Amino acid sequence: MYFSHVLKSKKIALSLILGVFLTFCTCKTFAIQPEHAAETEQPAHGEHAAEGEHEEAFNPSEVILEHIADSHSIHLWGTTSIALPVVLYTDKGLEVFSSANFEHGHKDFGGKYYTYRLVKDKVAIVEGADSLLPAATLLSLNKKLIDISITRNVVSMWMSMLIIFIIFLSVSSAYKKRQGKAPKGLQSFIEPIIMFVRDDIARPNIGYKYERFMPLLLTVFFFIWVNNLIGLVPFFPGGANLTGNIAVTFVLSLITLLVVNLNGNKYYWKHIFAPDVPVWLYPIMWPVELVGIISKPFALMIRLFANITAGHIIVLSLISLIFVFKAASVAFVSVPFVVFMDVLELLVAALQAFIFTLLTALFIGTAIEEHHH
Amino acid sequence: MELVTPEIGLVFWTSVSFFILFIILAKFAWKPIMGAISERERSIEDALLKAEAAKDEMARLTNENDTLLKQARAERDLILKEAKTLKDQIIAEAKETAQKEGARQIELARIEINNQKTIAMADVRNQVATLSLEIAEKVLHKQFEDQSKQDALVAELLKEVKL
């Protein structure tokens, strides 16, 4: 009786499954290593061995990174994919061509001004036999090649924007049609969320001036949330990892940085440049405060990026296990875990949107706060 | 490192797209939605306040009605009382007047009666006198039909007269 009671507990049942899963994993890896060794030692033995030789060794980290990163094509199924336009801003002018020309990186493409090659799904200029000039990034700027292609993430972002437009413009028209009446349908689903952003995010953190910042907070909240959710869909309309891309979170946090500091009042700036410390400490305080200004949005950027990317990596790792072990039976264990992770990611999707908006509101609140002392 | 290197292309497109998203949503979604929500909240608050006010007004009116009713009742009682007093007074007055009038009438009647009686008595007296005189005349006439008797009487009268 006592034991059955223990087994009924959900937590214990879950940890038992995990335990069994983990022992299974270790057993499997031990079992696979000698097998692999045997295969490589004696090739050309039957179909199985031949297949192993043809296929490249499965490298989960490569696959995962490929899924996490941006791409110049949208993979649909098998070998079918949509080629996206490549837009390059070079020092000689603008170049636009289809990424199909690269044939997934197998071929160089001679454009108007340079010859381009796709290396790890990133465009680079072929300058000589083996010298490549990669496209500029924010960390390595060069004026010769700036890649502003319509990538998978850009397409995904535009689709999400379309969804957001459809949802909110229809909700907005519903408000116009049903003026002063109780909400109905989609409107009644959206309204509590808007009220939540207003009453639990904006008002407590910003104060009575919250109305000015509502459009920004709502846009940020729904943009992050919708894109987080689309990122969870593993096939075509989803598949991109937009909010798990540092460039996107960089822009979002940059907006927060700008809004906070452009709205900062005299108390905010006084606190930074003339804090209540002896004057000789100012040279120390200024850098510290400036780091403070930067680090707050920086933390926002990293938090959203890391949370979403981590979720994707875990899900992909669990799926990769099936291919690492080359055993369909692993699916019985890893698929439930993937489902569990996906459900968790649903929570994280909303949670991260909430946290990003909340902290933005908080930073705005501290910047426009009136001090009475 | 690749993972944490922001690509300029995506930074550019995200900035542009987010800006467009923000402008369109702010103008066509957030403004009407927030406006409608706060408008509705205000109207609900108004309605609640009005309901509260109406309740107060109702209570006040009921109170007032009660007071009015009480006042009216008191007034009615007062009026009734007054009317009764008045009625009694009127009746009493009427009675008194009637009595007085009756007494006066009786007095007048009595005076009249007395007058009439006096007149009648005077009349009767006159008639009795006339009658007595007639009777006396007739008696005398009869008595003195006989000459001798006349003489006798004269003689007797003459006797009485002493000169």
Side-chain angles (χ1 to χ4, degrees), chain A residues 140-159:
Chain A
S140 59
L141 288 168
N142 71 58
K143 281 184 182 168
K144 208 166 174 188
L145 179 63
I146 296 168
D147 182 1
I148 48 169
S149 305
I150 312 298
T151 58
R152 186 170 64 180
N153 275 338
V154 176
V155 172
S156 169
M157 177 162 63
W158 288 349
M159 282 193 303

Side-chain angles (χ1 to χ4, degrees), chain A residues 36-114:
Chain A
H36 253 295
E39 270 175 27
T40 42
E41 269 170 29
Q42 299 169 324
H45 261 294
E47 211 181 78
H48 195 75
E51 237 179 51
E53 216 173 24
H54 273 292
E55 281 179 11
E56 287 170 38
F58 180 74
N59 184 350
S61 70
E62 206 173 89
V63 170
I64 291 170
L65 280 179
E66 191 191 301
H67 276 87
I68 296 291
D70 209 350
S71 169
H72 282 283
S73 61
I74 297 174
H75 180 248
L76 293 180
W77 57 79
T79 52
T80 318
S81 59
I82 304 171
L84 294 169
V86 175
V87 183
L88 299 173
Y89 185 77
T90 66
D91 52 349
K92 290 181 186 164
L94 202 67
E95 284 226 59
V96 181
F97 56 92
S98 166
S99 70
N101 292 315
F102 287 124
E103 291 174 9
H104 299 289
H106 297 305
K107 218 174 116 184
D108 290 357
F109 173 72
K112 270 187 283 182
Y113 310 117
Y114 297 104

Side-chain angles (χ1 to χ4, degrees), chain A residues 195-270:
Chain A
M195 301 300 275
F196 170 76
V197 172
R198 194 190 69 176
D199 295 341
D200 291 312
I201 295 177
R203 233 187 319 218
N205 292 307
I206 298 179
Y208 69 97
K209 288 182 196 156
Y210 76 96
E211 263 172 12
R212 258 183 68 206
F213 301 99
M214 277 308 287
L216 177 75
L217 294 176
L218 285 167
T219 311
V220 166
F221 181 82
F222 284 105
F223 180 78
I224 295 176
W225 194 25
V226 168
N227 279 301
N228 282 351
L229 291 177
I230 289 174
L232 290 181
V233 180
F235 39 82
F236 166 58
N241 177 31
L242 186 72
T243 41
N245 191 300
I246 195 101
V248 175
T249 60
F250 169 78
V251 172
L252 291 173
S253 55
L254 188 70
I255 291 166
T256 301
L257 178 80
L258 290 177
V259 168
V260 168
N261 289 293
L262 290 180
N263 283 294
N265 58 14
K266 59 182 176 185
Y267 304 104
Y268 174 74
W269 291 113
K270 184 187 173 292

Side-chain angles (χ1 to χ4, degrees), chain A residues 147-148 158 172 191 198 219, chain B residues 9 13 17 28 30 40-41:
Chain A
D147 182 1
I148 48 169
W158 288 349
S172 154
E191 185 174 314
R198 194 190 69 176
T219 311
Chain B
W13 286 118
S17 308
F28 296 108
W30 305 136
R40 198 176 56 207
E41 271 179 353

Side-chain angles (χ1 to χ4, degrees), chain A residues 68 120 122 137-138 147-150 157-158 161 165 169 172 175 181 183 191 195 198 215-216 218-220 222-223 245-246 251 255, chain B residues 1-15 17-18 21-22 24-26 28-30 32-34 36-37 40-41:
Chain A
I68 296 291
K120 283 186 180 174
K122 293 205 169 29
T137 66
L138 278 192
D147 182 1
I148 48 169
S149 305
I150 312 298
M157 177 162 63
W158 288 349
M161 280 168 64
F165 282 145
L169 296 183
S172 154
Y175 272 104
K181 286 184 193 158
E191 185 174 314
M195 301 300 275
R198 194 190 69 176
L216 177 75
L218 285 167
T219 311
V220 166
F222 284 105
F223 180 78
N245 191 300
I246 195 101
V251 172
I255 291 166
Chain B
M1 198 57 207
E2 238 173 69
L3 214 54
V4 289
T5 309
E7 289 152 33
I8 290 179
L10 197 52
V11 168
F12 169 73
W13 286 118
T14 310
S15 312
S17 308
F18 191 86
L21 183 79
F22 175 73
I24 293 181
L25 283 185
F28 296 108
W30 305 136
I33 291 176
M34 295 309 291
I37 287 177
R40 198 176 56 207
E41 271 179 353

